[in-house]
Amino acid sequence: MYDFIETWKTNTAQIINELLAESGIDTKINALEVIAEIPPNPQMGDLGIPMFSFAKMLRKGPPQIAQLAAVKLNNMLSSQETNAKAEAQGPYLNIKMDRALTANAILKDFFDPSKKAKQKESMAGKRVMIEFSSPNTNKPLHLGHLRNDVLGESISRIIKECGAEVYKVCIINDRGIHICKSMLAYKENFQGKTPESEGIKSDHFVGDCYISFNKELKKETQELIEAGVKKEEADAQTSVMKKAAQMLRDWEAGDSETVELWKKMNSWAIEGMKKTYNRTGVSFDKYYYESETYMLGKDEVLKGLEKGIFFKQEDGSVAVDLTEEKLDKKILLRSDGTSIYITQDFGTAINRYKDWQFDKLIYVVGSEQQYHFKVLFIILEKLGYSWAKNLHHLSYGMVNLPEGKMKSREGTVVDADELIDSLRDMALSEIKEKGREDDVGNPQEVAENIAIGALHYFLLQPSPVKDMLFDPKESLSFTGNTGPYLQYMGARISSMLRKNEETGNKNKEPGIWNEVLFDAEWELVKLVNGYSSAVNEAAEKMDPSHLTGYLYELSKAFSRFYHECPILTCDDPTLSKARLELSRAVMLVLKDAFYLVCIPFLNVM
């Protein structure tokens, strides 16, 4: 598809190379080294190209370079049918284009399948594995998981859109003392009950067991503290923690009764989680289970010990010294020979590379694990795995509520399913208040899709590294920078296109602009043209907020265009057709981009 920004960057690179050659400088640049900006004032031009980065190599001031480049570029343009003009304004080379010619070229190519196919191919040929979600099987998914899930799913879709082969994996943490807490509570307080008998979603049932355990733990801990036991020692001395620790030992020893209970409760938890994944559009190519991977890595530690990469301490534990990397010492095997979490992690990474040889492995994990991943990646490099340099931690911030932090052990987390139910019910209430039940067809389904769109857009709108405050009411607003606002724009265009078809518009002439475009039209054309660049940028930076920000600007621009430029009522049928085609192009971009950021597209709202 014709991309006017890339075209002018290429033209500018050619001009700069001519100036370099004339100055006897044996250097060449390419279009990637040219920066293009949209001037804040349309009177300055349609595109501005700063000359600062070429000053050192040309040994000239940026304003002088801009003057020389403008002359050369105008000479080049005189032989082309573009009606474009270059002007030097200070250190900038500003381009003024023929809006009608450019808009017609952009829309013609937009609807040409042969030119549209390879627009987003910045990662063509790459194999990218992405790990995300990583739930525990002692409780259902919560709001924090939802941010992780939509980040992982969106980045997977964006990278795949840019030509990469993507493999999505999930490690399920299905062993350890936290799992035994839910198991013990079930055994002592829920025995004989099932999710079916209680009429509750299976992972919620397991979560109730976990909350029950922690209530008892809190009660016993407080009693011990009041009896004089130090606060930091009280937890471990409670009867419930001692029983949970014994249950973990029984599980590791293969006790049949314990293993059967573990299987039953894990199956309940995982079955419920998969229903939530399906509801939110999240999927995986492979599930890994900690119970199958926690022994991995131990042999690698012993090999590293033999090679002198690691060392044995006086107590018999094995460690690695990372002081040269400005980190500290890290234990890899305990003195009793058992492995710790990071040992399992590098064993799992090695196993994954054997399963599916990736060019890049992205871990979508919270920012509190930054140190862990620094250590993990360094250890894998020390062990001689060349692919370790291609591991990346996509760190994201915490999701907090207006009321404060979430605490799963106290049952104060925002449960994923309950949150979506609440958003759906709020959207359904809005549909009913506006009397739109008959218009939308299936109000319940539409409300569910509005809820998912509101949730996902709100979670992806900020950069992943930022902590965020989730406000359910704000996320559902039909005005402002929200998912429902974007969905409404898509529905509005769909409605207009249906209306055009219903009127039997038989205009067969191609839609073109013969005169100068209004600012609202031109702004929208430029944004449609910039879609591929927005996707490529989101993929390169592994940050969907670049795409959500683009979608908001596109939706605002369409709203302005819709109000300022008559479309179906335009007196000029050829111009009306051109504006309809531009509207259709916007709708197609919205549909495509909505999928990439996990927002359902709605034809009616």
Side-chain angles (χ1 to χ4, degrees):
M1 190 173 82
Y2 175 74
D3 187 326
F4 73 86
I5 293 178
E6 291 305 315
T7 297
W8 288 109
K9 287 172 68 173
T10 300
N11 288 340
T12 303
Q14 182 180 332
I15 295 301
I16 297 297
N17 285 331
E18 287 181 15
L19 291 173
L20 287 166
E22 289 170 4
S23 301
I25 301 169
D26 188 21
T27 302
K28 284 191 174 183
I29 68 162
N30 59 45
L32 294 174
E33 297 172 74
V34 178
I35 299 169
E37 302 172 356
I38 304 296
N41 182 352
Q43 299 302 317
M44 298 170 67
D46 299 306
L47 202 64
I49 300 175
M51 298 289 109
F52 302 106
S53 57
F54 312 123
K56 188 174 181 180
M57 63 178 74
L58 281 166
R59 296 188 285 275
K60 291 181 174 66
Q64 186 183 1
I65 299 171
Q67 290 283 353
L68 294 169
V71 171
K72 280 190 168 292
L73 193 51
N74 281 325
N75 287 336
M76 177 195 293
L77 295 173
S78 65
S79 62
Q80 301 175 4
E81 296 180 0
T82 62
N83 294 337
K85 184 180 179 182
E87 291 181 354
Q89 293 189 11
Y92 282 82
L93 175 65
N94 285 352
I95 314 295
K96 289 187 176 180
M97 291 175 263
D98 184 311
R99 292 183 174 185
L101 280 175
T102 305
N104 291 332
I106 288 171
L107 279 189
K108 180 182 177 183
D109 281 6
F110 185 89
F111 292 107
D112 184 341
S114 66
K115 294 183 179 180
K116 192 179 177 184
K118 294 188 176 181
Q119 271 304 289
K120 302 179 286 290
E121 54 181 12
S122 59
M123 300 189 74
K126 299 290 185 184
R127 286 164 62 89
V128 182
M129 181 181 284
I130 304 178
E131 177 198 284
F132 60 102
S133 198
S134 308
N136 296 325
T137 55
N138 62 339
K139 54 184 179 287
L141 302 175
H142 56 62
L143 177 55
H145 288 114
L146 289 175
R147 188 178 194 191
N148 183 308
D149 292 349
V150 74
L151 265 174
E153 184 66 36
S154 179
I155 286 296
S156 299
R157 295 180 184 188
I158 290 168
I159 288 175
K160 186 175 181 179
E161 181 76 1
C162 290
E165 185 180 354
V166 174
Y167 197 71
K168 300 182 290 183
V169 299
C170 176
I171 178 84
I172 294 182
N173 302 302
D174 63 343
R175 64 168 292 277
I177 191 70
H178 53 295
I179 308 301
C180 291
K181 290 176 180 179
S182 296
M183 291 165 59
L184 180 66
Y186 175 81
K187 193 172 181 180
E188 295 196 343
N189 304 319
F190 293 76
Q191 191 69 263
K193 296 180 180 179
T194 66
E196 291 77 16
S197 70
E198 301 305 297
I200 187 171
K201 191 163 173 274
S202 56
D203 52 337
H204 291 207
F205 180 80
V206 176
D208 288 346
C209 295
Y210 183 67
I211 292 169
S212 170
F213 174 90
N214 281 293
K215 283 181 179 176
E216 184 61 31
L217 174 64
K218 189 175 182 180
K219 177 186 170 186
E220 287 192 26
T221 299
Q222 187 58 38
E223 289 172 355
L224 287 171
I225 292 171
E226 290 172 0
V229 178
K230 291 181 180 179
K231 186 177 181 181
E232 57 271 22
E233 298 174 1
D235 267 18
Q237 292 187 28
T238 60
S239 65
V240 287
M241 275 303 293
K242 289 177 181 177
K243 289 177 184 177
Q246 181 58 50
M247 185 171 273
L248 179 59
R249 288 190 289 271
D250 292 342
W251 179 86
E252 291 180 346
D255 176 70
S256 58
E257 182 183 340
T258 305
V259 169
E260 283 306 308
L261 176 59
W262 170 78
K263 286 180 178 178
K264 178 164 67 175
M265 295 194 71
N266 273 332
S267 68
W268 283 337
I270 293 167
E271 176 192 342
M273 288 173 190
K274 287 184 176 180
K275 287 179 180 177
T276 307
Y277 288 143
N278 186 58
R279 185 179 189 184
T280 54
V282 171
S283 65
F284 298 96
D285 297 299
K286 182 169 182 176
Y287 289 95
Y288 288 84
Y289 296 89
E290 188 179 340
S291 57
E292 298 170 354
T293 63
Y294 77 104
M295 293 300 290
L296 296 175
K298 189 172 179 179
D299 288 344
E300 292 292 330
V301 175
L302 298 177
K303 289 176 189 175
L305 186 62
E306 288 178 11
K307 294 176 182 177
I309 300 170
F310 309 137
F311 65 94
K312 187 168 282 193
Q313 301 194 113
E314 289 183 7
D315 64 355
S317 61
V318 178
V320 59
D321 185 359
L322 301 177
T323 51
E324 284 187 12
E325 288 81 8
K326 297 182 180 179
L327 301 172
D328 52 18
K329 182 177 67 177
K330 181 69 178 177
I331 302 294
L332 301 177
L333 284 181
R334 299 186 184 93
S335 56
D336 62 2
T338 57
S339 60
I340 62 171
Y341 201 80
I342 198 163
T343 316
Q344 167 194 310
D345 263 8
F346 62 73
T348 304
I350 293 165
N351 215 41
R352 283 179 178 164
Y353 189 76
K354 291 176 183 176
D355 289 347
W356 198 79
Q357 292 190 9
F358 49 77
D359 296 308
K360 192 181 194 75
L361 169 54
I362 301 169
Y363 294 88
V364 183
V365 182
S367 55
E368 69 275 9
Q369 294 294 324
Q370 286 179 358
Y371 177 81
H372 173 86
F373 283 103
K374 283 181 183 177
V375 173
L376 173 65
F377 300 164
I378 290 170
I379 289 174
L380 285 165
E381 285 197 60
K382 284 181 176 290
L383 287 169
Y385 292 101
S386 59
W387 45 262
K389 64 181 181 294
N390 299 322
L391 304 180
H392 178 82
H393 174 206
L394 177 53
S395 172
Y396 66 92
M398 299 288 291
V399 185
N400 296 316
L401 302 166
E403 298 81 17
K405 269 192 170 184
M406 299 184 293
K407 296 179 182 178
S408 58
R409 67 181 59 194
E410 295 178 12
T412 60
V413 300
V414 177
D415 175 84
D417 295 305
E418 290 174 4
L419 173 60
I420 299 169
D421 286 347
S422 173
L423 291 170
R424 180 202 61 210
D425 292 345
M426 290 164 69
L428 188 59
S429 176
E430 184 85 7
I431 291 170
K432 289 179 178 178
E433 282 180 19
K434 293 183 176 179
R436 297 278 298 165
E437 295 105 309
D438 294 336
D439 297 324
V440 301
N442 186 332
Q444 189 84 3
E445 182 181 328
V446 171
E448 172 88 1
N449 285 325
I450 292 172
I452 296 295
L455 175 67
H456 285 171
Y457 185 78
F458 202 98
L459 293 174
L460 291 179
Q461 186 187 340
S463 175
V465 297
K466 294 181 180 178
D467 289 346
M468 65 178 298
L469 190 71
F470 181 77
D471 187 328
K473 289 183 180 178
E474 184 184 337
S475 75
L476 267 178
S477 173
F478 283 75
T479 59
N481 194 2
T482 67
Y485 172 72
L486 303 186
Q487 289 175 310
Y488 174 68
M489 285 301 148
R492 169 180 275 182
I493 300 172
S494 297
S495 174
M496 181 178 65
L497 294 175
R498 283 196 304 273
K499 185 176 180 180
N500 179 63
E501 290 176 5
E502 288 166 3
T503 59
N505 192 333
K506 303 297 183 182
N507 183 8
K508 299 296 183 183
E509 293 299 315
I512 60 171
W513 282 274
N514 293 312
E515 299 176 2
V516 175
L517 280 72
F518 289 113
D519 287 346
E521 292 174 293
W522 180 233
E523 181 64 22
L524 194 56
V525 167
K526 288 191 292 183
L527 281 165
V528 167
N529 184 250
Y531 174 52
S532 296
S533 296
V535 176
N536 284 324
E537 185 177 21
E540 180 188 343
K541 296 181 178 177
M542 289 177 279
D543 184 351
S545 71
H546 290 282
L547 197 48
T548 56
Y550 165 84
L551 279 170
Y552 181 50
E553 292 304 317
L554 180 68
S555 296
K556 282 196 303 180
F558 178 80
S559 182
R560 180 189 174 195
F561 162 75
Y562 183 83
H563 286 104
E564 294 184 12
C565 304
I567 303 172
L568 298 182
T569 59
C570 179
D571 294 333
D572 182 341
T574 304
L575 180 56
S576 175
K577 181 79 177 292
R579 289 174 175 171
L580 269 169
E581 286 183 353
L582 177 56
S583 300
R584 185 176 286 108
V586 173
M587 185 186 73
L588 293 175
V589 168
L590 290 177
K591 277 187 175 180
D592 194 70
F594 279 12
Y595 171 76
L596 299 183
V597 292
C598 309
I599 297 175
F601 184 89
L602 295 172
N603 289 305
V604 291
M605 275 183 78

